[in-house]
Amino acid sequence: MELVRWQYRNPYHDRTKDPTRLFVFGPHTLTISQRPTQTIDLYHNTGYLVWDGAYLLSQYIFNHLALAGKTCVELGAGSALVSIVAWLKQGNVVATDLQEYQEFARRNIAANGAQVGVRELVWGEPLQQELAGCADVVFGSEILYLEAQHDALLRTLRALMKEHARAYLVYKDRGLGEHKFHERAQNAGFRLRELPLDSEFDSEPYHLLVLSFVSK
């Protein structure tokens, strides 16, 4: 019997409503819990679902990045899918988010046998000493939708990243001011490049930005 190839999208079923989702990256199958019964809006409970951008960034990491020996920090980790995939690529990974998502991330990490640290991080506030200037690579998916948080996010990126670090950010242009991040990042001393994403999402306004320092 021919096996059916796993696909992320299913036109007949909305997987954001599932309490558990499976994700396949090469030989690895990950099980990620969600809390779809929570009331979710722009300001509440966004970390309890796996958004498309998290899958897109995870796919890019798995297919294109070599992370062995590198310290990786995920911002707005939520379910921690991106952090777990970075760990699969042999990164030394810390998943960060608000306090309310800490235990949720830890459960997904443990369920997949990953060795990923979990830390609270509020953008714009002073970093814990262990995080300051630690990151070779920073990841963030779907974290640009609150324009009012852009400056705080940029301060956190600057404080986290080593001199030659890279930050990979995936976002969807939802008309909430996401594009204004570009100019703010350049004004804050970052160089930006945009890289292509999986063709499955060609018809949708998803973007992958890579940030590095012009100088620090």
Side-chain angles (χ1 to χ4, degrees), residues 84-197:
I84 295 167
V85 173
W87 173 78
L88 289 176
K89 295 292 290 191
Q90 302 180 19
N92 302 315
V93 187
V94 179
T96 70
D97 211 322
L98 301 176
Q99 182 62 40
E100 63 197 88
Y101 300 117
Q102 303 290 289
E103 184 58 31
F104 181 63
R106 287 190 177 97
R107 288 181 182 178
N108 277 324
I109 290 164
N112 290 282
Q115 297 179 23
V116 173
V118 179
R119 298 288 184 274
E120 181 181 10
L121 196 161
V122 179
W123 302 345
E125 294 190 1
L127 298 181
Q128 300 175 30
Q129 185 175 359
E130 63 192 272
L131 292 177
C134 77
D136 299 296
V137 187
V138 177
F139 299 116
S141 61
E142 306 270 26
I143 62 173
L144 301 184
Y145 62 90
L146 292 178
E147 182 188 344
Q149 292 292 316
H150 287 178
D151 290 335
L153 172 58
L154 287 164
R155 290 196 299 273
T156 292
L157 286 170
R158 179 165 282 276
L160 275 174
M161 293 167 62
K162 295 179 181 178
E163 181 179 359
H164 300 294
R166 298 288 183 271
Y168 294 83
L169 307 180
V170 166
Y171 73 95
K172 184 177 184 178
D173 191 347
R174 294 182 167 88
L176 299 173
E178 296 92 347
H179 65 284
K180 296 180 181 179
F181 180 79
H182 294 228
E183 183 176 356
R184 284 194 173 101
Q186 291 169 337
N187 290 339
F190 289 94
R191 179 182 295 110
L192 280 71
R193 291 184 296 138
E194 186 164 348
L195 298 178
L197 285 165

Side-chain angles (χ1 to χ4, degrees), residues 36 57 117 195 215:
L57 182 54
L195 298 178
S215 61

